[in-house]
Amino acid sequence: MTSSDTSPLAAQPATMPDVREADMICERLQRARQETSRIIFGQDKVISQTLTAILAGGHALLVGAPGLGKTLLVTTLGTVLGLDARRVQFTPDLMPSDITGSEILDEDASGRRSFRFVPGPVFCQLLMADEINRASPRTQSALLQAMQERRVAVAGAEHPLPRPFHVLATQNPLEQEGTYPLPEAQLDRFMLQITLTVPDAQAERTMLLATTGTQEAQAQPVMDTAGLTEAQALVRRLPVGEKIVDAILELVRSARPETSPDSTLRTQIAWGPGPRAAQALMLATRARALLDGRLSPSLDDVIALARPVLAHRMALTFAARADGVLLDDVLTRLVNRLG
């Protein structure tokens, strides 16, 4: 196991992670990644990014065309990580109470009536919000509020959600019919936006042979809730070098039209990421380092996670889009500034 050679910040916790403890957690995380890759073919980068989001304690938005394995990825991770996983198929007629739960009127044997809260599917540890952009904004807001506050309020009473609690939402491309794009403030609730693409020819061949026989491989549990919670706590204890903190701040501030030192970017970006993006990048780089068996993040972690953290937190101006500028071009320019 190696660590970054940058000096840790003085502001970091004085308690350093125990190397033996970290080694055991890293070993379990490696097994979890390998077990997931045994079921999901040709999506190693997507698996790593999804595990990174969960390790960092955040939520992830999975974007890609139908049929690329988004649903299978979430159900497999639920099994591998030992989490209570549930799935909600978002449709235009889905109501907020269908997710959060509602109160019903009960009557006991003596005829006495009382209200009883019936929890919705959001009361789990890993929720798959399938095709979240097909539900109405009202229903989207109910889920996103639960994601942020980790509790549900019904009839004036608050009901805390289980811990850990993570949402992996899938989203179809916005150009498809019948979709409701998520507002900017709600997109900001997702730590990472993870893009799924078509696997290469060899991976697709392997998947074809493995999934059309008489038996399909089944995922096996590798971790449990206690182990995941322990790993998440370790992520927050990892030290971060001053150079890495400076790189995160430079990247996020350069992505805002108000604070970017690049005059070209200032004219191309309509709005950029807020402070939550820097927080997400700080935690995600630590999680990625731990997933790779390192005890502190490096500049490579910042570069690798720049797109997943920033892509859904930025928008281009009309003039830039009219000139054919793509958001990926802007992100490339931002990453190149880091060297």
Side-chain angles (χ1 to χ4, degrees), residues 6-335:
T6 54
S7 58
L9 285 174
Q12 294 298 320
T15 304
M16 298 294 288
D18 180 79
V19 175
R20 183 177 301 177
E21 173 194 3
D23 281 339
M24 291 188 296
I25 291 176
C26 288
E27 182 182 355
R28 290 197 295 265
L29 291 175
Q30 288 294 332
R31 288 168 50 205
R33 179 159 58 180
Q34 292 170 1
E35 181 66 18
T36 307
S37 299
R38 193 173 63 84
I39 307 298
I40 309 295
F41 301 98
Q43 300 287 359
D44 292 344
K45 184 177 180 180
V46 170
I47 292 171
S48 295
Q49 290 180 354
T50 308
L51 284 172
T52 295
I54 294 176
L55 273 178
H59 314 286
L61 185 64
L62 305 176
V63 180
L68 294 180
K70 299 186 293 294
T71 303
L72 181 59
L73 171 63
V74 178
T75 55
T76 301
L77 285 174
T79 301
V80 171
L81 299 177
L83 300 177
D84 175 22
R86 299 184 186 178
R87 175 178 177 269
V88 176
Q89 178 66 51
F90 278 62
T91 57
D93 60 347
L94 194 71
M95 299 298 293
S97 59
D98 295 329
I99 299 173
T100 60
S102 59
E103 287 194 328
I104 63 173
L105 185 62
D106 268 353
E107 183 175 343
D108 59 19
S110 63
R112 181 180 301 173
R113 296 180 178 180
S114 61
F115 284 99
R116 176 171 61 90
F117 176 68
V118 179
V122 75
F123 285 85
C124 64
Q125 295 173 321
L126 182 64
L127 177 67
M128 178 180 184
D130 207 357
E131 297 184 308
I132 188 175
N133 57 334
R134 289 203 180 279
S136 67
R138 180 183 179 187
T139 303
Q140 293 174 358
S141 298
L143 173 63
L144 293 162
Q145 182 180 14
M147 290 166 49
Q148 180 65 24
E149 300 179 4
R150 313 277 175 161
R151 64 181 184 272
V152 168
V154 177
E158 292 188 348
H159 306 275
L161 297 176
R163 297 294 181 97
F165 173 68
H166 301 281
V167 173
L168 299 179
T170 69
Q171 178 172 278
N172 288 337
L174 296 182
E175 61 268 15
Q176 292 192 2
E177 295 183 3
T179 59
Y180 299 83
L182 292 173
E184 295 84 358
Q186 295 182 2
L187 282 171
D188 196 32
R189 306 291 174 91
F190 291 96
M191 176 175 284
L192 302 181
Q193 176 177 297
I194 302 170
T195 302
L196 284 83
T197 57
V198 177
D200 59 39
Q202 183 57 44
E204 192 165 4
R205 176 185 176 86
T206 304
M207 176 181 62
L208 181 63
L209 296 175
T211 58
T212 58
T214 56
Q215 292 183 344
E216 287 191 35
Q218 301 293 324
Q220 300 299 319
V222 173
M223 300 180 67
D224 55 18
T225 302
L228 178 60
T229 302
E230 184 181 5
Q232 291 174 335
L234 178 60
V235 165
R236 289 181 172 267
R237 290 165 54 198
L238 295 185
V240 182
E242 293 185 19
K243 292 183 179 179
I244 306 305
V245 176
D246 291 341
I248 291 173
L249 288 173
E250 178 185 353
L251 177 66
V252 174
R253 293 183 65 83
S254 297
R256 301 172 188 153
E258 306 88 353
T259 58
S260 178
D262 191 319
S263 59
T264 301
L265 291 177
R266 287 199 300 268
T267 63
Q268 294 176 339
I269 301 173
W271 51 267
R276 189 178 285 146
Q279 295 171 333
L281 195 53
M282 175 76 85
L283 288 172
T285 53
R286 287 168 165 169
R288 186 178 188 270
L290 186 63
L291 193 61
D292 287 346
R294 292 175 284 115
L295 288 182
S296 63
S298 66
L299 186 60
D300 290 338
D301 297 314
V302 179
I303 293 174
L305 291 167
R307 284 176 171 81
V309 170
L310 299 179
H312 58 299
R313 292 182 166 98
M314 299 175 60
L316 301 181
T317 62
F318 176 79
R321 288 184 280 115
D323 291 338
V325 178
L326 301 177
L327 182 58
D328 193 62
D329 299 331
V330 173
L331 291 172
T332 300
R333 188 181 182 97
L334 287 168
V335 170

